Amino acid sequence: MKPEPSPRSTAEELTERWSKQKPLSKAQDMLAGAGCFLLVAALLGSFGYLGFVGWQEMKHGRDARNARQAAAREQRAQQAAGVLSAQPARDMEIACERAVKDRLKAPATAKITKDADAAWTGSAWRYAGTVDAQNSFGATLRNRFACEVSGLNLAQARVQVDLQP
């Protein structure tokens, strides 16, 4: 069996082998240095770009979240102040349904079907649908209704209903 070479002898062999190699020319040496520099610059540039993009995404997400939170705070403040446009659509639907039932002969028999959710049009809430209710003879009739809730705030809101057979 051959004895294992010691690490020292292996290092000496490598040193001897390297010393026998031809030295690089000045142009080759500069080219190798420039290649290493370009490789390091490309790596740093890539990591810098990725960091910048990540930072922009994080900043954009934070800005969007802050904007949503500010809008929600503003809407809650307007709701608390009674601003009509900031009120929930369901509250306007309930107000309209009450006004429709008030115009019926037998409000307890009313079954309301909405065409769509109440919508803010810029100056008023609008809501439409159909109502099935009994008349004074006990016959169930279907009527279409259109409702509008307008005013500056909830305290001064005016509910108008147009009920058509």
Side-chain angles (χ1 to χ4, degrees):
M1 260 174 111
K2 252 171 125 179
E4 288 276 327
S6 70
R8 188 168 180 357
S9 65
T10 306
E12 288 173 358
E13 288 173 12
L14 287 174
T15 306
E16 184 179 323
R17 214 176 323 155
W18 287 337
S19 65
K20 290 180 184 175
Q21 288 181 347
K22 281 186 6 182
L24 295 176
S25 70
K26 189 157 182 97
Q28 288 175 327
D29 196 27
M30 287 178 61
L31 191 59
C36 287
F37 173 77
L38 289 175
L39 178 65
V40 169
L43 286 172
L44 289 175
S46 297
F47 288 124
Y49 176 74
L50 290 175
F52 177 75
V53 168
W55 176 75
Q56 287 293 331
E57 287 295 321
M58 183 182 69
K59 183 177 178 240
H60 176 70
R62 186 175 50 230
D63 291 347
R65 186 180 64 242
N66 289 344
R68 283 192 310 271
Q69 289 173 345
R73 278 193 303 273
E74 176 69 22
Q75 183 164 6
R76 283 192 302 270
Q78 287 181 351
Q79 283 177 347
V83 175
L84 195 60
S85 63
Q87 300 307 312
R90 185 63 190 141
D91 290 353
M92 299 305 113
E93 291 171 2
I94 291 169
C96 285
E97 290 169 6
R98 283 186 189 143
V100 166
K101 287 180 181 180
D102 287 346
R103 305 234 355 237
L104 298 172
K105 296 280 185 188
T109 64
K111 290 187 178 119
I112 295 178
T113 306
K114 61 182 177 178
D115 291 344
D117 291 335
W120 177 253
T121 62
S123 60
W125 283 96
R126 298 201 194 285
Y127 178 57
T130 57
V131 59
D132 294 332
Q134 291 179 357
N135 63 8
S136 55
F137 299 109
T140 301
L141 300 176
R142 176 168 284 178
N143 293 304
R144 293 203 42 74
F145 70 89
C147 178
E148 180 178 284
V149 182
S150 58
L152 294 175
N153 55 40
L154 199 54
Q156 298 172 349
R158 190 175 76 182
V159 181
Q160 293 178 309
V161 175
D162 180 27
L163 195 60
Q164 298 174 350

